Amino acid sequence: MLRLVRTGAEGEGSCADIMEIRRPDDLVDIANLGLTLAEAKRLLAGVQREIVAAQAREHADRRPTCPHCSGACRVKDYRDHAVATLFGQVTVRLPRFRCAACGGIEAGLDWPSHCRSTPELDRLQAHLSALMTYRTAADALGQMFPVDAGKHHETLRRHTLKVGEALGECATIRPVTAASAVVVTLDSTFIRSCGDGERHLEVRVGNVETQSDGRQVFGAVAKADTDIRALIRRNLDAVGRTRNTALTAFTDGCPGLRGILADAGVTTRPMLDWFHIAMRLQHLKQFANGLSDDDPERAAAKTVIVAEVERLHWRIWNGKAKDAQVSIDRIRAVMHHFRGEPDGRRSIAPSRKLWTALQALDHYLTGQSASLVNYAERHRAGLQVGTAITEGTANFLVNRRMNKSQQMRWSRRGADLLLQVRCAVYNGTLGSGFGQRFQPANDPYPPMTIAA
Ligand SMILES: [Zn+2]
């Protein structure tokens, strides 16, 4: 039997029986070792109920002074108030006080109005929802904690969006030390919309990085309430940007993003993020290696193409993007050997994919020529060549959670607020409200995958 005993200055006081625990008294079966999850949940819920009941009794004994006339208050009546907590739904017996002098009613609580759950439960729901779907988060929470009320996925969604809204109102804390250099990356991606008007919503994401403090990520859905320009400024402030900070910017080359950066005070011309080029080259390499070599002519052509793709990579990496055209032309010159290559049962022929990817890369390089730099030289000098997030900020921040399946559709506001929570989780700024901070889920030391 588990009994909760109240102790105080006067020694032991009242006690309450929580539950009876019956476990086998031998260890023949490993499954019998210690408490089961079901027992632990009942235990937590039982302890929670007793603690809340004791707190309510203490609260009723306290008798606040009247805020209007400073008169003495007496208990007028009690109301039962249901609150969802991480350790079960509790019914709090809340006293209402009446001032003996002026008759004013006072509750003696600082709770937010219509409060139906504890902030800790709300924040944990938001934290889990930032990492997995609302449905999975609700399920995970129910598996581990004796949460009985507020575990419906719609409730999780509502609480998460509320937390997201509150995050937008938080003040920026500037660090004590100024950052001498900050790297800003801005990128964009799309998620499916559930609205009637548009099929897709544009999401802008980015990160700011300093040499000492790692990284802060941020993001906002276009045309939602969160202003991406203000967000960039806030994030720059949060990592210690001053007037003397050297700013370096990377984008995927989209002119819209360049404009946003300029509006946010990043006036240096952004460079093309090596990550985006490396991705395209990676695809090109895959297609080249997948080419058929079933006759000597094709085999010879494939050898030329594989070598030229390699050279293309080297040229762009070394800032010789103008010479990239030579490689592209050489590949095009031997592509006719693969004419008529049949498509696979489930896929398009590698030669056709290669042709399309090559056209796209050619177009990309031509359009972005002014934003290309000598990446090799920067890398040798210990400077960044793009985002340090290995899979790119958009994948890392958005696609992993919000583009997982074809079925996921988003409202502009819902996606925007969830993204605020997701960023806070990765930045480690989603506090629990009890002075403790969650560990940032954002790895400050990612493995470098510079494909050079
Ligand atoms: Zn009064």
Side-chain angles (χ1 to χ4, degrees):
M1 178 59 78
L2 199 88
R3 179 169 289 175
L4 202 64
V5 180
R6 187 184 166 81
T7 59
E10 305 91 48
E12 289 189 6
S14 59
C15 58
D17 292 340
I18 302 291
M19 66 183 282
E20 203 181 307
I21 300 169
R22 268 180 213 279
R23 300 291 294 148
D25 51 12
D26 65 68
L27 293 177
V28 177
D29 188 346
I30 180 76
N32 291 332
L33 190 65
L35 285 177
T36 63
L37 180 59
E39 284 163 342
K41 286 197 218 176
R42 262 173 57 216
L43 178 73
L44 281 170
V47 173
Q48 181 81 322
R49 266 195 309 273
E50 291 305 326
I51 290 175
V52 168
Q55 283 179 312
R57 281 195 300 271
E58 283 281 311
H59 180 79
D61 285 346
R62 212 159 273 173
R63 309 291 150 88
T65 50
C66 174
H68 311 291
C69 72
S70 303
C73 286
R74 291 198 190 124
V75 175
K76 176 181 171 274
D77 55 11
Y78 289 91
R79 294 246 166 130
D80 281 347
H81 191 86
V83 180
T85 80
L86 189 46
F87 309 110
Q89 164 121 328
V90 291
T91 306
V92 196
R93 206 161 163 256
L94 285 178
R96 286 198 303 175
F97 302 99
R98 196 208 306 267
C99 171
C102 74
I105 305 286
E106 169 64 21
L109 300 170
D110 287 331
W111 294 11
S113 54
H114 310 297
C115 176
R116 291 260 169 263
S117 54
T118 55
E120 189 177 35
L121 176 63
D122 296 353
R123 289 220 175 83
L124 187 63
Q125 287 174 335
H127 190 125
L128 292 178
S129 300
L131 302 172
M132 50 191 102
T133 64
Y134 293 118
R135 226 172 263 274
T136 315
D139 189 45
L141 207 60
Q143 290 279 335
M144 288 182 286
F145 294 98
V147 178
D148 32 30
K151 62 176 179 186
H152 191 264
H153 58 90
E154 251 314 307
T155 312
L156 262 72
R157 181 177 180 273
R158 215 174 50 241
H159 287 173
T160 304
L161 300 193
K162 221 169 75 188
V163 170
E165 250 172 12
L167 282 167
E169 291 149 18
C170 288
T172 311
I173 305 158
R174 284 169 193 265
V176 202
T177 46
S180 57
V182 179
V183 176
V184 197
T185 312
L186 191 61
D187 202 349
S188 68
T189 187
F190 289 88
I191 53 172
R192 284 169 205 90
S193 162
C194 67
D196 290 335
E198 283 159 294
R199 293 187 57 186
H200 291 97
L201 301 174
E202 190 185 359
V203 188
R204 282 87 174 243
V205 291
N207 61 89
V208 289
E209 293 163 70
T210 63
Q211 261 162 347
S212 53
D213 292 325
R215 143 180 90 226
Q216 292 235 110
V217 291
F218 57 85
V221 176
K223 291 181 239 161
D225 284 341
T226 310
D227 178 12
I228 187 77
R229 294 160 187 85
L231 212 52
I232 296 171
R233 278 187 229 111
R234 271 178 64 166
N235 275 273
L236 287 171
D237 288 345
V239 294
R241 185 257 315 247
T242 65
R243 246 186 304 156
N244 301 321
T245 303
L247 287 175
T248 309
F250 289 100
T251 67
D252 68 350
C254 163
L257 299 182
R258 275 208 294 269
I260 290 173
L261 281 170
D263 289 347
V266 185
T267 45
T268 47
R269 190 185 173 86
M271 296 170 229
L272 203 59
D273 192 328
W274 176 253
F275 169 78
H276 292 284
I277 307 169
M279 281 252 294
R280 286 167 185 268
L281 289 167
Q282 191 58 38
H283 289 150
L284 217 55
K285 271 179 211 183
Q286 262 169 28
F287 303 147
N289 287 323
L291 288 171
S292 65
D293 46 9
D294 49 6
D295 68 52
E297 276 176 16
R298 278 187 176 176
K302 181 179 175 176
T303 309
V304 171
I305 292 169
V306 169
E308 282 306 326
V309 169
E310 207 48 61
R311 203 162 292 157
L312 189 61
H313 185 143
W314 186 89
R315 282 175 161 150
I316 305 172
W317 174 249
N318 285 285
K320 299 181 195 314
K322 285 199 185 81
D323 302 339
Q325 200 58 50
V326 180
S327 289
I328 292 173
D329 290 344
R330 278 183 195 157
I331 296 170
R332 280 196 183 123
V334 293
M335 280 298 286
H336 66 269
H337 291 291
F338 298 95
R339 204 167 287 156
E341 195 186 26
D343 290 340
R345 246 190 308 162
R346 292 216 186 119
S347 59
I348 301 164
S351 57
R352 220 156 307 167
K353 285 189 197 164
L354 180 74
W355 183 255
T356 313
L358 199 65
Q359 296 288 91
L361 180 72
D362 190 7
H363 189 75
Y364 189 61
L365 293 178
T366 314
Q368 301 302 328
S369 56
S371 304
L372 289 162
V373 294
N374 188 334
Y375 296 96
E377 196 178 88
R378 282 186 66 84
H379 187 53
R380 278 195 301 271
L383 299 169
Q384 266 180 260
V385 293
T387 173
I389 300 172
T390 40
E391 49 175 318
T393 320
N395 273 337
F396 172 77
L397 213 48
V398 178
N399 298 343
R400 260 203 234 164
R401 164 73 176 88
M402 299 164 90
N403 258 344
K404 261 188 197 161
S405 78
Q406 298 289 321
Q407 280 79 37
M408 279 189 174
R409 294 190 191 277
W410 299 89
S411 74
R412 198 179 287 283
R413 180 174 171 272
D416 185 56
L417 293 177
L418 175 66
L419 193 55
Q420 303 317 311
V421 178
R422 205 163 148 74
C423 290
V425 167
Y426 282 116
N427 293 334
T429 51
L430 190 70
S432 73
F434 298 106
Q436 126 226 12
R437 290 180 131 200
F438 286 103
Q439 277 295 308
N442 174 359
D443 176 13
Y445 304 107
M448 282 296 272
T449 53
I450 298 300

